[in-house]
């Protein structure tokens, strides 16, 4: 017999269809900055990724449809996402930390299973690279949230007041992550 808590969790997730990890093949869709892009894989001796007109062009020497080549394409795409995350998140942390008047000790981009971001007591900010699949306002909310933790290392009323000063519709973005965040975990 299931507990009320377990029944609630099962019912809550019924509408979510099971998520399949992409194989990084032509025709698949992946999101970047909240927008869907169709993957187009083509042969090249050197790997590269370009985005143009809703298409993510992945050039790779790993063209076979076997699992090993698929994994190599996924690793390259993940590395590309991590680099975009490093560049974009660091720039946006710089902007928001100046506005909020805080100074993070370091900014790290990680693959975290359960968190979008975190702030340590030492002032280090960590961000999940899969946020690059989310819309920019959602990414900005997470950055603002973590920068505000540099002033309030808790979720007190003062913390949320500070967040709302720099992100008026933070509740909407928080809700988006709660309801659609599972969509950001489609590549390894």
């Amino acid at each position: 017999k299931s507990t009320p808590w377990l029944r609630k969790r099962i019912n809550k997730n019924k509408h979510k269809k099971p998520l399949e990890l992409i194989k990084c093949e032509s025709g698949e869709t992946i999101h970047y900055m909240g927008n869907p892009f169709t993957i187009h894989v083509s042969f090249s001796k050197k790997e590269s990724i370009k985005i143009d007109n809703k298409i993510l062009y992945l050039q790779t020497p790993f063209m076979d449809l076997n699992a090993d080549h698929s994994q190599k394409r996924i690793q390259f795409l993940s590395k590309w996402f991590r680099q975009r995350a490093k560049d974009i998140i660091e720039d946006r942390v710089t902007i928001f930390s100046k506005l909020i008047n805080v100074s993070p000790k370091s900014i790290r981009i990680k693959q975290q299973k359960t968190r979008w971001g975190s702030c340590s007591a030492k002032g280090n900010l960590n961000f999940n690279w899969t946020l690059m699949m989310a819309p920019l306002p959602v990414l900005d909310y997470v950055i603002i949230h973590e920068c505000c933790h540099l002033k309030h290392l808790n979720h007190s009323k003062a913390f949320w007041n500070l967040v709302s000063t720099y992100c008026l519709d933070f509740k909407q973005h928080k809700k988006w992550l709660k309801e659609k965040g599972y969509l950001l975990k489609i590549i390894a």
Side-chain angles (χ1 to χ4, degrees):
K1 195 170 185 175
S2 63
T3 65
W5 178 87
L6 182 57
R7 277 194 302 271
K8 183 179 175 184
R9 287 283 167 238
I10 290 169
N11 289 331
K12 184 178 180 183
N13 291 315
K14 270 185 182 175
H15 72 282
K16 294 179 184 177
K17 60 181 187 176
L19 208 51
E20 290 184 31
L21 297 179
I22 67 166
K23 296 176 183 131
C24 220
E25 296 175 0
S26 288
E28 290 181 304
T29 300
I30 192 161
H31 284 75
Y32 176 66
M33 301 302 288
N35 298 305
F37 287 85
T38 301
I39 297 173
H40 177 80
V41 181
S42 62
F43 179 79
S44 175
K45 289 183 179 182
K46 187 175 180 185
E47 289 180 301
S48 70
I49 293 177
K50 293 178 186 168
I51 287 186
D52 185 36
N53 199 23
K54 299 290 182 182
I55 298 174
L56 185 143
Y57 294 96
L58 171 59
Q59 294 186 320
T60 178
F62 305 107
M63 290 296 295
D64 291 343
L65 297 180
N66 66 44
D68 184 50
H69 279 208
S70 177
Q71 191 60 37
K72 287 181 181 180
R73 291 190 303 269
I74 290 167
Q75 288 170 353
F76 182 68
L77 184 59
S78 298
K79 182 179 174 184
W80 182 83
F81 266 98
R82 283 182 177 92
Q83 186 57 52
R84 300 291 79 69
K86 182 179 183 326
D87 296 342
I88 292 169
I89 291 173
E90 284 181 358
D91 285 348
R92 301 202 66 79
V93 167
T94 299
I95 292 166
F96 289 116
S97 62
K98 285 180 184 176
L99 282 172
I100 300 168
N101 197 26
V102 294
S103 298
K105 297 278 188 263
S106 70
I107 303 163
R108 293 189 193 113
I109 307 303
K110 297 180 169 189
Q111 181 166 356
Q112 299 166 299
K113 291 186 180 189
T114 60
R115 294 179 178 219
W116 302 114
S118 62
C119 175
S120 73
K122 293 181 179 181
N124 300 315
L125 300 182
N126 300 302
F127 296 95
N128 195 326
W129 67 266
T130 60
L131 283 166
M132 295 314 300
M133 296 177 200
L136 184 59
V138 173
L139 172 63
D140 283 347
Y141 156 68
V142 175
I143 292 169
I144 290 166
H145 182 113
E146 298 311 330
C147 285
C148 288
H149 275 313
L150 293 169
K151 285 195 174 187
H152 302 281
L153 199 55
N154 55 44
H155 287 110
S156 64
K157 186 174 181 179
F159 167 80
W160 288 113
N161 286 340
L162 186 61
V163 170
S164 69
T165 300
Y166 299 98
C167 186
L168 296 175
D169 46 0
F170 77 89
K171 289 180 183 178
Q172 175 186 339
H173 305 311
K174 186 176 175 183
K175 182 180 177 187
W176 190 96
L177 284 168
K178 187 173 185 176
E179 292 176 356
K180 298 183 181 178
Y182 75 101
L183 295 171
L184 307 182
K185 298 179 181 189
I186 62 171
I187 57 179

